[in-house]
Amino acid sequence: MKSSQLLIFAVILFFSCKEGSAPSASANQEKTKATLSIVIQPFEGLPPSTADFVKVKLNEIYSGEVTINEPIPLPKKALNQDRSRYRADSLIRFLNSFAKEDQLIIGLTSKDISITKGKDPDYGIMGLGFSPGKSCIASTFKLKGDNRLEKLFKLAIHELGHTQGIAQTTTKHCPEKTCIMRDAKGKDHWDELNDFCSKCKPVLIDAGWAFK
């Protein structure tokens, strides 16, 4: 067989083996997301039972590690100009400063929090999560009713959902009325929400969430 024919045969054999070979270990690792651990970070002034409740509820739906840190002071630099509210975006950046790899942090506070929205530089909100991100903040300040802790849990996982990319949509929220990712639009509709919908849940699973 001539040398040119040998070369062509070798090239064909190489690509045939490559196409039929199993995916490499590194390729499989790229497809498998590490399970994220969730850290609840209470700020001073929040009753310990509140953080405990959120942890118990998370453990009911999430098989990954969930822990509670010791309470820490709210950073003074996060106060707004008249020192009446804490800037939610500043609190998230503060929490991000000590978030580890494959870890999400939920900041919980009883204080009033706000953001800049349109022409309002100090718009009061219940929670905030950057998309994508590693930290979010949820406040009990505006939550009312006997089941306010249940509402806080839903608010917390709503903001966690944003950190995992669910806000990468036109509306930044889910149109499903019973989905955790529904837009609050300044109203208290937490009692109507019961789970992540069939479109939102796969986004979380792909990001590394381990649902039970």
Side-chain angles (χ1 to χ4, degrees):
M1 185 179 292
K2 296 181 179 180
S3 59
S4 59
Q5 291 175 318
L6 281 171
L7 179 60
I8 293 172
F9 176 78
V11 170
I12 292 173
L13 180 63
F14 171 79
F15 281 105
S16 296
C17 293
K18 192 172 184 65
E19 290 175 0
S21 60
S24 65
S26 60
N28 286 332
Q29 290 172 356
E30 290 176 359
K31 291 180 180 180
T32 303
K33 296 284 186 178
T35 299
L36 299 168
S37 64
I38 297 177
V39 176
I40 298 171
Q41 179 58 71
F43 286 101
E44 289 181 351
L46 188 84
S49 58
T50 299
D52 290 339
F53 181 89
V54 173
K55 181 180 185 296
V56 168
K57 297 297 289 185
L58 273 169
N59 283 328
E60 289 178 2
I61 67 167
Y62 191 74
S63 62
E65 182 182 25
V66 181
T67 58
I68 302 177
N69 283 349
E70 290 296 317
I72 58 175
L74 283 153
K76 293 181 179 179
K77 64 180 180 180
L79 277 169
N80 63 359
Q81 289 186 350
D82 63 9
R83 304 179 68 82
S84 61
R85 286 171 167 166
Y86 286 86
R87 297 285 304 179
D89 50 353
S90 295
L91 292 175
I92 290 175
R93 293 187 182 96
F94 171 73
L95 294 170
N96 274 342
S97 66
F98 51 86
K100 298 178 181 178
E101 187 178 357
D102 296 329
Q103 184 182 82
L104 299 174
I105 299 179
I106 307 173
L108 297 181
T109 181
S110 59
K111 303 299 184 181
D112 199 6
I113 60 176
S114 65
I115 58 170
T116 298
K117 184 175 181 180
K119 296 182 180 180
D120 189 342
D122 193 40
Y123 181 80
I125 59 172
M126 291 178 283
L128 183 69
F130 292 155
S131 181
K134 294 179 69 64
S135 304
C136 62
I137 185 73
S139 169
T140 62
F141 189 83
K142 293 181 179 296
L143 298 176
K144 309 298 181 185
D146 294 336
N147 64 337
R148 62 198 299 264
L149 294 185
E150 181 73 30
K151 294 177 181 180
L152 175 65
F153 164 67
K154 293 179 182 180
L155 169 63
I157 60 175
H158 173 99
E159 302 306 343
L160 277 178
H162 282 313
T163 68
Q164 301 306 287
I166 290 183
Q168 305 298 334
T169 63
T170 303
T171 62
K172 300 189 183 301
H173 287 90
C174 182
E176 295 292 332
K177 291 185 177 181
T178 60
C179 180
I180 293 295
M181 297 310 300
R182 175 183 170 187
D183 190 356
K185 295 183 178 179
K187 299 180 180 179
D188 182 349
H189 62 213
W190 297 106
D191 289 337
E192 300 174 22
L193 313 183
N194 54 38
D195 198 359
F196 293 103
C197 72
S198 60
K199 292 183 179 179
C200 291
K201 185 172 284 189
V203 177
L204 298 176
I205 294 172
D206 185 61
W209 279 51
F211 284 101
K212 289 184 177 178

